Amino acid sequence: MARRPFVAGNWKMHGSSASNQALLAAALADGKRCAGVDVAVCVPFPYLAQAAGALQGSGTGLGAQDVSEHASGAYTGEVSSAMLADLGCTHVIVGHSERRSLHGESDALVARKFVRAMASTLKPILCVGETLAEREAGQTEAVVLRQLQAVVQTTSPERWAHAVLAYEPVWAIGTGRTASAQDAQAVHARLRAALATWGAPADAIRIVYGGSVKPGNAGELFSMPDIDGGLIGGASLVADDFSAICDAAQRTH
Ligand code: 13P
């Protein structure tokens, strides 16, 4: 089945109102130029309104990098899915490895956030991935399937068509080390098979790769049958690099 590739920038905690302008203009142009590719940028909370204004009416999606598990209430510092949707967000990242490792987010909490996003109009981008120690211990498959299953078992499978799954091996994030296209493909295929077993519309779900994706390796990764695009960190902060990665997604699908 032909899936539309999805390429999202994750700016993490970078940017300023001044520096964002050029990146947003470039992302808007990428979304227009790359017909057939869904392009999105996930910006820090304080810049969502700026990004929503800059991207308004364009095909480029807008994502937040986290969401509260709660609908509303006395949760100082938290941001709800309704607020994100109200601001114009189309997507939200849940379960990024930096949230899991630096903020102690458990599989169960990630699942609750995913459900909360699903209950709104937001499309969740669920991140899974193993650490270097887990990979070296031969646990890659067990870890990513555990992370995925925690979410799948709390949701109804048919609703997954709106979600994006991101395989982000922790050891490849921000390190310049990328999973080989073959290794990443093997994990993606395993994730897709698991989604199918659980009754989700596996053929329709985009499974994107993240971890040191650059213009030089994007084409090879994206040409794999189960790699449907990328979640891009560092390279999404360099407009020309992000554009080249969006172009690679278009070329290879
Ligand atoms: P890098 O592309 O900087 O490795 O980051 C990947 C990532 O964590 C995207 O969410």
Side-chain angles (χ1 to χ4, degrees):
M1 179 187 198
R3 290 173 291 271
R4 273 173 81 87
F6 178 71
V7 178
N10 174 7
W11 291 6
K12 308 193 179 183
M13 200 172 74
H14 295 286
S16 67
S17 349
S19 70
N20 295 343
Q21 288 180 17
L23 282 180
L24 291 168
L28 184 136
D30 293 334
K32 286 200 175 124
R33 186 183 68 254
C34 297
V37 179
D38 289 334
V39 176
V41 285
C42 301
V43 312
F45 287 134
Y47 300 128
L48 284 170
Q50 179 191 15
L55 300 174
Q56 196 174 22
S58 77
T60 299
L62 175 61
Q65 299 171 11
D66 188 24
V67 64
S68 173
E69 65 174 303
H70 303 289
S72 67
Y75 301 104
T76 301
E78 295 280 280
V79 176
S80 75
S81 55
M83 292 171 186
L84 297 178
D86 188 28
L87 269 173
C89 287
T90 50
H91 292 81
V92 63
I93 298 173
V94 292
H96 192 281
S97 67
E98 287 148 19
R99 301 291 321 168
R100 291 179 191 262
S101 66
L102 303 174
H103 301 273
E105 293 198 5
S106 64
D107 291 345
L109 175 59
V110 171
R112 292 196 295 275
K113 291 185 172 193
F114 185 95
V115 168
R116 188 60 71 189
M118 279 267 189
S120 69
T121 55
L122 299 176
K123 300 181 176 81
I125 305 169
L126 171 67
C127 299
V128 298
E130 82 286 2
T131 63
L132 186 58
E134 289 163 341
R135 166 160 287 244
E136 286 174 346
Q139 294 170 348
T140 297
E141 197 170 289
V143 169
V144 297
L145 291 179
R146 188 203 73 221
Q147 292 171 334
L148 178 59
Q149 185 167 21
V151 176
V152 169
Q153 69 192 11
T154 63
T155 51
S156 50
E158 63 279 5
R159 301 199 53 204
W160 266 75
H162 301 295
V164 175
L165 184 56
Y167 170 53
E168 296 208 315
V170 178
W171 49 271
I173 295 177
T175 58
R177 285 183 69 187
T178 319
S180 73
Q182 290 73 21
D183 282 356
Q185 162 61 25
V187 177
H188 283 227
R190 189 67 194 84
L191 290 168
R192 196 178 305 286
L195 286 167
T197 305
W198 290 322
D203 278 347
I205 296 171
R206 271 88 59 90
I207 307 180
V208 302
Y209 170 81
S212 298
V213 178
K214 307 283 177 218
N217 58 25
E220 192 188 356
L221 287 160
F222 298 168
S223 58
M224 291 290 142
D226 288 292
I227 302 183
D228 306 313
L231 185 55
I232 319 299
S236 73
L237 299 169
V238 181
D240 287 350
D241 286 359
F242 189 64
S243 297
I245 292 167
C246 293
D247 289 336
Q250 190 182 36
R251 250 196 338 271
T252 51
H253 282 80

